[in-house]
Amino acid sequence: MPAEQAEIATVAVLGAGTMGHGIAEVTAIAGYDVVLRDIEADIVEDGYEEIEWSLEKLAEKGRLDEDPDDVAARVATTTDLEAAVSDADLVIEAGPEQLSVKQDIFESVDAAAPDGALLATNSSSLSITEIAAATERPDSVLGLHFFNPPVKMDLVEVIYGEATTDETAQRGYEFIESLGKTPIYVRKDVRGFVVNSVLGPFMSEPAWMVSADEATIRQADAAMVHERGYPMGPFELGDLTGIDIGYHVRMEAGRPVPPIMAEKVENENLGRKTRKGYYDYEDGDGPEYVPEDAEGFDHLRVEAVMANEAAKLVGDDVATAEAIDTGMRLGAGFPEGTCRRADDIGLNTILEKLRKLHDEHGDDRYEPADYLVELVEAGHTGTEAGRGFHEYDTGDGPGDYHTINWELDDDGLLAVELDRPSRMNAISETLADEVVDLLSSLDEDKVRAVVFEGAGDRAFSAGADISGFADRDPAQTSEPTEVFTTVAEYPRPTLARIDGYCLGAGLELALACDLRLATTDSEFGFPEITLGLLPGGGGTQRAIRMLTDARAKELVFRGEHISAERAADWGLINRAVDADEFDGVVEEFVADLVSGPPIALRKAKRVMNEGADESLDAGLEMESQAFALLLTTDDVAEGTAAFAADREPEFEGE
Ligand SMILES: C/C=C/C(=O)SCCNC(=O)CCNC(=O)[C@H](O)C(C)(C)COP(=O)(O)OP(=O)(O)OC[C@H]1O[C@@H](n2cnc3c(N)ncnc32)[C@H](O)[C@@H]1OP(=O)(O)O
């Protein structure tokens, strides 16, 4: 194997601060040997202790597969840079965010690291190309931008410098995947990379509006959080990250600074760290906006400028729309990606808005990106048109889904994975719509059974997506029970494969399934009451029909979690199974469902579901009609013939 393709086994992390020790920790958890280096012994020791503390916490929460001491033992510490990198297959520099400092480090690394080592910087804002220029091997240098804190944040931007080869970037990408994290390619060395480029206008556009008395701080924050579902308001976020950070980024980029931002920096009101910023944390209560404050805020203006930034990135081949959306969801916690949101708004609406703003204000930032104009001129105006930044399936078949994965195998098993692991597979409107679309667009005759599961190892689903939840206008919320009804009425047996949290709407989805199997580590509950709500996806009704009155009410009224054992004991689930036996038990159930007689299973499901709400006489009548009908099917002939011949039946559903 040529040196440049050597397997990565040893990773040197240079810098033991917050990012450095976090990167070292996630790297050691993934099984790599790590050397953590900083310039002073105290700093390295502090970093190592942080790792030990964090590993203990993960172990306490059951989120570590190994003994924390064994993981920590894979981290060696040193203050000697040469010793740290001399055996490293990958060096990740996480030092101070100053170009000259990073260039000095890279020069020393270049002299001491083996040929073929990947040299990465965790810089969040500096040019990868300029850092790489300090080495004789800029082709092996790349950016691996982890987000803070690395142990919690899934996203890593994999950034090309001008000389970075595809092979270097690909090795970096695969390394990040091996950590169990989500990499996105940033194919050009642009300032702010992807996430910070798109996040820029989220924070600066409202600041321009406030500076021009076109909005208030509380109004902007309330609108973006309560009306648009962002996890934090732009000013609240500015206070958290430090107003000076955004200020300096803009100054260095030679971009104009909104007056309100400049004023805060001049007065040293930098946010939470100085106890005063856009909000007052000393004499006031910090961000205390309420939904009513949002009224009249022009959020289209903010989202249009963000979409324009995203269009520049796609048009300039910096990142795909998919990568941008992944980046904004995982890196900034945005409810969906900026490109997807723009497609939903309509790219023609966005273009029109930008042109109007450009006419009114004349500022460069409103000048529509060429790519946006091209899309609109080509008629690719977004979701409704079937194509915008993304392509949408407007036909009858299953679409191109983003929050679920699915697979239909040759046996007719439809496996549906709820795929929002960074949000504990919380059920957003999009996810619910995608499940409904999938089940209604697949050819039922090809499906024999359906299994639902959650992506990742933490949750089946932790409920409805709470972001911006409390203030959603019920009239704007799509029918909350549609997904549950669609699943409950699906004419094939359905099974929920539960490993982890199964809460709120997640439990409602599981209860809409016919069968539920869970690992013993799973937890169940309806926490809605703690939010001032009640289970609104059929939970109250299914629970009261399934459990005793007292148990159903205990679940709904107290909002407490119950263990899988108790759930099985109560009859809420079919089995609670040890993790190491779980796959086997699920397979046994599934094998019975996919090989069973489809018509009889469909009829049995229907008469049991519908008969449960009828009188016994009406239920018995439904049952006997179904029984008579089944006697006329080929499947009965096959079943009885197979019994007589002592062989397995092969039901065709005819
Ligand atoms: C009609 C139906 C109504 C409903 O269903 S209402 C919702 C009912 N569900 C809940 O109230 C559960 C909310 N979630 C939790 O209580 C906790 O989570 C857990 C106990 C499940 C896990 O706690 P921990 O291990 O400490 O993880 P973490 O840091 O809280 O969660 C990881 C990330 O997942 C996000 N998340 C969790 N649940 C939801 C949700 N239901 N909606 C949206 N996001 C959710 C968090 O915020 C966080 O995200 P970040 O890493 O960005 O901080």
Short mmCIF file of all heavy atoms in Angstrom, two decimals, residues 99 251 359 446 541 591 607:
data_model
loop_
_atom_site.label_atom_id
_atom_site.label_comp_id
_atom_site.label_asym_id
_atom_site.label_seq_id
_atom_site.Cartn_x
_atom_site.Cartn_y
_atom_site.Cartn_z
N LEU A 99 -3.83 33.23 12.03
CA LEU A 99 -3.15 32.64 10.87
C LEU A 99 -1.67 32.38 11.14
O LEU A 99 -1.16 31.29 10.86
CB LEU A 99 -3.33 33.55 9.64
CG LEU A 99 -2.75 33.00 8.35
CD1 LEU A 99 -3.39 31.68 7.96
CD2 LEU A 99 -2.89 34.01 7.21
N MET A 251 -15.47 42.53 9.64
CA MET A 251 -14.40 43.51 9.42
C MET A 251 -13.29 42.88 8.58
O MET A 251 -12.81 43.48 7.62
CB MET A 251 -13.81 43.98 10.76
CG MET A 251 -14.76 44.81 11.59
SD MET A 251 -15.21 46.37 10.82
CE MET A 251 -13.83 47.38 11.33
N ASP A 359 -33.68 47.11 -5.29
CA ASP A 359 -34.15 48.40 -5.82
C ASP A 359 -34.28 49.43 -4.71
O ASP A 359 -33.90 50.59 -4.87
CB ASP A 359 -35.55 48.22 -6.46
CG ASP A 359 -35.45 47.50 -7.79
OD1 ASP A 359 -34.31 47.34 -8.28
OD2 ASP A 359 -36.50 47.07 -8.32
N LYS A 446 -47.10 -5.29 -3.24
CA LYS A 446 -45.70 -5.70 -3.12
C LYS A 446 -45.24 -5.73 -1.66
O LYS A 446 -44.13 -6.16 -1.35
CB LYS A 446 -44.81 -4.73 -3.91
CG LYS A 446 -45.11 -4.73 -5.40
CD LYS A 446 -43.87 -4.34 -6.18
CE LYS A 446 -44.06 -4.58 -7.67
NZ LYS A 446 -44.52 -3.41 -8.40
N GLN A 541 -56.43 7.84 23.28
CA GLN A 541 -57.46 6.86 22.91
C GLN A 541 -56.89 5.46 22.75
O GLN A 541 -57.49 4.48 23.19
CB GLN A 541 -58.16 7.31 21.62
CG GLN A 541 -58.88 8.63 21.80
CD GLN A 541 -59.75 8.62 23.05
OE1 GLN A 541 -60.66 7.79 23.19
NE2 GLN A 541 -59.48 9.53 24.00
N ALA A 591 -40.39 -12.69 10.06
CA ALA A 591 -40.49 -13.86 9.18
C ALA A 591 -41.94 -14.36 9.16
O ALA A 591 -42.47 -14.70 8.10
CB ALA A 591 -39.55 -14.96 9.66
N VAL A 607 -60.77 -6.63 11.07
CA VAL A 607 -61.89 -6.95 11.97
C VAL A 607 -61.49 -6.72 13.43
O VAL A 607 -62.32 -6.35 14.25
CB VAL A 607 -62.45 -8.38 11.77
CG1 VAL A 607 -62.98 -8.58 10.36
CG2 VAL A 607 -61.46 -9.47 12.14
#
